[in-house]
Amino acid sequence: MKRRDFILNSCGACIGVGAFAGFITSCGAMKNVPGKLNNDGLLLNASDFEKQRDGKISYHPYIVVRNEELQFPICVYRFSATDYSALWMQCAHQGAEVQVSGAYLQCPAHGSEYDNRGRVTNGPAVRDLRTFPVVVTNNQLFIDLRKK
Ligand code: FES
């Protein structure tokens, strides 16, 4: 193979791998919303989880609520129209912000992992993430920040 052909083929492969990696990461279900804070908690619309494609509605498995009034984001997982979990994204080990990756959350500081209900699955953390009750009424979610 000539040097020029090698470079063209190699670059083509790199671009293909890069594009594929970008496609994979852009396929992620990550969606950020600000939510609406009131005195007792946070309001979200159930429709915030919806995504439409080709006239069909599907659902993000989770959304991340980032609001400047909150010290940490809250990850809200949708299990069904009436079943959600709301997880405070502060690691129970030493307080770093955890990152969402599909059905689990991982701490970049020392590697603790949690499932989508906030239960610790891998240390060094020994406690679960802080969670909040979620009440669904008229297609609106109320995340009660008063209770643990
Ligand atoms: S702060 Fe998260 S694992 Fe240490």
Side-chain angles (χ1 to χ4, degrees), residues 59-136:
Y59 298 92
H60 293 277
Y62 62 88
I63 60 176
V64 175
V65 180
R66 292 184 187 276
N67 188 301
E68 61 186 27
E69 301 292 322
L70 298 173
Q71 188 180 4
F72 285 88
I74 295 175
C75 185
V76 184
Y77 279 95
R78 181 188 190 277
F79 301 102
S80 72
T82 56
D83 186 14
Y84 296 84
S85 67
L87 313 175
W88 186 243
M89 293 177 69
Q90 181 181 26
C91 184
H93 179 230
Q94 291 183 355
E97 183 173 320
V98 295
Q99 298 172 342
V100 192
S101 180
Y104 67 94
L105 301 98
Q106 187 174 47
C107 182
H110 311 105
S112 290
E113 290 183 2
Y114 305 87
D115 68 14
N116 53 14
R117 295 282 184 182
R119 295 174 291 233
V120 64
T121 58
N122 194 28
V126 293
R127 289 180 293 120
D128 296 340
L129 292 177
R130 184 177 180 195
T131 61
F132 303 100
V134 181
V135 178
V136 184

